Amino acid sequence: MSTVNENLIRDVVAEVLQRLGSAGRISAEGASAPASSNGGGRVRPARGRHGIFSDADEACAAAHDAFLQLAEKGVAGRAKVIEIVKSLCERNAREWGRLELDETKIGRLDHKIQKLQGQRGVPGVEFLSPYALSGDHGITLEEYAPFGVIGAITPSTHSIPTMACNIISMVAAGNTVVFNAHPSAYRCAVTAARAFNQAIEHELGIDNVACIVEPPTLESFNAIARNEHVRLLCVTGGPGVVKAAMASGKRAICAGPGNPPVLVDGTSCLRNAAKQIVFGAAYDNNLLCIGEKEVFVLEKFADAFMAALEGQGAHRLSDAQVERLAKESFQVPPGQGAGCPHPILNRDLVGRDAEVLARVAGANVPPGTQLLFAETGADHVFVQEEQMMPFLPIVRVRSVEEGIREAKKAERGYRHSAMIHSHDVEHMTAMARALDTTLFVKNGSCMAGLGLGGEGYPNFSIATATGEGVCNPRTFTRVRRCVMVDKLRIF
Ligand code: NAD
């Protein structure tokens, strides 16, 4: 029998046993072997699962085994894993983009494909050059060492892209990972994880470098967070998961929510400002945490700016239409009045096409419209809440100071992202200092902050809440110092 067939049969048997919840496991040789305990009564992880586990603790144990094996393959082994993940994302960008859209029903296919193709730019092992000191007392090296197994939580908004860039950054640093994906976006992540692990096993002989729990639940999150092998958490999502990760007792890197404001002061080209803002706010139907979510514009330029938005294909809603859309998009929780601090976002409208939102608002828009906008007050719910829809509220302000003040209020202290369109360095500096955000883009779309149209590398985990910034391999390392006293200097 050919090796391909043997592998296929082994995969099928492993899958069946796992689904039956059998105590039997597939051994490294491919034969069915009884489950064995590795000391503390735990079931030993086995090969042939290709990263897919229904039990979170088994996934963590398997990822730990993979971590030990990866260490033996050195930096070259990590580089191979990264190349596999990048190549598979490129090769499967269309198929996986479609799979994710079909499962989640949110966002845009063209941008889902682009987010997968963009994984090529995520930094790898080259990012980890050590810091060296050389002096009269010898030589000291500070090295970026791995943690071990990382527990990672991914969002519904970009499931496979977040998983892929997490794997690249984490494995570059020598770690392995267990994912708990969003319940509405885990099937596509399982497909990608299986493909990654199969290819890694084929190339390096290591299975389960990137594990995933199927199906993900709050219990599986808790099990991952509690597991002894998991040395670090990396969560990407809204306020709930950030709070849960911080309460877990484990060190957590938290890529939390945003509500990025834009200031247009009229000193730069309004046409370019409109073009960049339409591109950013319409990108993947404004699902991105960095996406432009509200614009403050100096009143004397407001009419010209909104005309420029229309010139870029955005469609203006009337006051009545925007109120209809707001009523359908946000609900006040039962028992709370109109002053409720956090209305509940209608998930059915998140990430939907502008044409769908227009129908809800009662507007007719030309086919292919990418973005809706309307003039609102600064306290409007669409300004104050992270809506994740291709709809942009535009607020007139009397001065730059007022614009910065309102932008800071709308950003709500997330310290995530903000944009300014201006040629005035004083305005840029004042806004950057006041908002204190992780990303601050001048005269570009939000995507320039992740290297699309600006300098820099991409990553879909931007650690805002805990301050690590755009994640990269160094984010997932422990700094270890190695000291040689009085020797090794060559002069
Ligand atoms: P979400 O908060 O609903 O879910 C994110 C992940 O956390 C999912 O896997 C979910 O299952 C899990 N989760 C949620 N509450 C949890 C809890 N209490 N305990 C354990 N796990 C929990 O968010 P979403 O809709 O998937 O994604 C959109 C949100 O994520 C937005 O707020 C967006 O700004 C943010 N986001 C941030 C970044 C970033 O890099 N900072 C990137 C993408 C998305």
Side-chain angles (χ1 to χ4, degrees):
M1 194 189 296
S2 74
T3 314
V4 175
N5 280 343
E6 283 169 12
N7 285 343
L8 195 68
I9 290 168
R10 195 182 64 190
D11 291 353
V12 171
V13 174
E15 180 104 15
V16 170
L17 286 177
Q18 191 198 349
R19 284 178 190 279
L20 287 173
S22 164
R25 295 291 174 264
I26 304 300
S27 74
E29 290 72 40
S32 183
S36 59
S37 156
N38 59 359
R42 273 182 288 110
V43 174
R44 268 186 88 94
R47 281 176 68 170
R49 305 279 280 272
H50 298 139
I52 321 300
F53 291 84
S54 56
D55 182 275
D57 286 318
E58 277 189 56
C60 295
H64 184 249
D65 259 14
F67 166 67
L68 298 177
Q69 294 170 62
L70 186 65
E72 285 169 21
K73 300 285 180 187
V75 177
R78 302 179 196 178
K80 269 199 180 129
V81 172
I82 291 165
E83 185 48 39
I84 287 167
V85 172
K86 290 184 176 185
S87 306
L88 283 174
C89 285
E90 271 170 348
R91 210 179 315 144
N92 294 301
R94 281 179 186 284
E95 191 187 326
W96 288 356
R98 166 56 66 193
L99 205 61
E100 183 157 339
L101 184 59
D102 285 349
E103 182 178 359
T104 62
K105 314 268 185 295
I106 58 176
R108 284 173 47 171
L109 182 59
D110 51 347
H111 296 143
K112 298 217 178 294
I113 293 169
Q114 195 172 42
K115 287 193 288 186
L116 287 165
Q117 290 167 335
Q119 298 293 325
R120 181 55 67 189
V122 178
V125 292
E126 72 285 354
F127 215 77
L128 295 175
S129 27
Y131 175 61
L133 292 163
S134 171
D136 293 343
H137 298 297
I139 282 185
T140 289
L141 265 188
E142 283 188 347
E143 297 253 46
Y144 296 105
F147 274 89
V149 179
I150 299 174
I153 314 302
T154 51
S156 61
T157 46
H158 9 266
S159 188
I160 304 177
T162 308
M163 168 187 245
C165 63
N166 278 181
I167 298 173
I168 293 167
S169 306
M170 291 167 184
V171 170
N175 306 284
T176 56
V177 51
V178 177
F179 288 97
N180 213 45
H182 192 284
S184 70
Y186 79 90
R187 289 186 177 87
C188 58
V190 164
T191 299
R194 184 179 287 116
F196 293 146
N197 284 299
Q198 276 173 337
I200 294 165
E201 188 184 27
H202 180 77
E203 190 73 25
L204 287 175
I206 309 174
D207 197 8
N208 305 318
V209 163
C211 297
I212 184 165
V213 183
E214 178 193 35
T217 59
L218 282 183
E219 288 70 38
S220 58
F221 165 81
N222 287 328
I224 291 170
R226 267 197 315 264
N227 190 279
E228 59 179 325
H229 294 303
V230 174
R231 306 275 304 279
L232 180 69
L233 295 175
C234 173
V235 307
T236 306
V241 71
V242 170
K243 207 168 154 200
M246 286 183 166
S248 71
K250 286 259 162 79
R251 188 184 155 208
I253 291 163
C254 297
N259 192 32
V262 188
L263 180 61
V264 178
D265 72 359
T267 60
S268 66
C269 170
L270 290 180
R271 188 174 163 274
N272 184 54
K275 183 176 169 198
Q276 302 296 334
I277 290 168
V278 169
F279 176 69
Y283 197 87
D284 210 13
N285 283 344
N286 212 342
L287 284 179
L288 273 78
C289 54
I290 59 170
E292 287 87 349
K293 296 291 192 293
E294 60 276 337
V295 179
F296 300 92
V297 54
L298 251 65
E299 62 184 349
K300 63 180 164 181
F301 303 107
D303 290 333
F305 170 67
M306 285 188 264
L309 285 178
E310 286 175 313
Q312 294 298 319
H315 183 92
R316 183 175 182 151
L317 297 184
S318 68
D319 289 353
Q321 288 166 343
V322 76
E323 289 321 312
R324 206 169 302 145
L325 184 61
K327 195 159 166 274
E328 294 300 323
S329 302
F330 298 96
Q331 279 130 27
V332 174
Q336 296 195 30
C340 155
H342 292 298
I344 297 169
L345 183 58
N346 178 358
R347 288 268 160 181
D348 290 344
L349 295 182
V350 164
R352 303 302 297 275
D353 290 344
E355 290 173 54
V356 174
L357 300 185
R359 273 199 297 279
V360 172
N364 274 325
V365 297
T369 299
Q370 297 188 53
L371 184 72
L372 308 177
F373 72 95
E375 197 174 336
T376 72
D379 290 329
H380 197 276
V381 65
F382 270 126
V383 175
Q384 298 300 328
E385 296 294 321
E386 185 193 24
Q387 78 268 27
M388 294 185 281
M389 297 173 200
F391 167 77
L392 204 54
I394 313 292
V395 180
R396 283 176 203 253
V397 289
R398 277 158 300 189
S399 64
V400 167
E401 291 71 28
E402 183 186 338
I404 293 176
R405 207 167 47 244
E406 293 297 344
K408 185 174 168 65
K409 190 172 150 210
E411 214 277 322
R412 294 171 49 160
Y414 291 137
R415 297 199 287 178
H416 197 300
S417 300
M419 277 62 69
I420 187 168
H421 290 270
S422 170
H423 281 173
D424 188 312
V425 177
E426 300 287 336
H427 297 169
M428 295 176 187
T429 311
M431 185 169 174
R433 288 186 180 163
L435 270 75
D436 196 16
T437 47
T438 307
L439 294 181
F440 187 62
V441 178
K442 302 157 193 100
N443 300 322
S445 88
C446 65
M447 296 304 292
L450 292 186
L452 190 61
E455 286 302 320
Y457 53 86
N459 198 295
F460 294 109
S461 292
I462 303 154
T464 46
T466 45
E468 292 81 0
V470 179
C471 286
N472 62 57
R474 275 206 294 270
T475 313
F476 303 104
T477 58
R478 297 164 57 219
V479 180
R480 297 178 61 195
R481 183 177 282 199
C482 177
V483 181
M484 172 62 118
V485 178
D486 289 343
K487 293 281 185 283
L488 270 186
R489 275 189 113 194
I490 55 173
F491 60 96

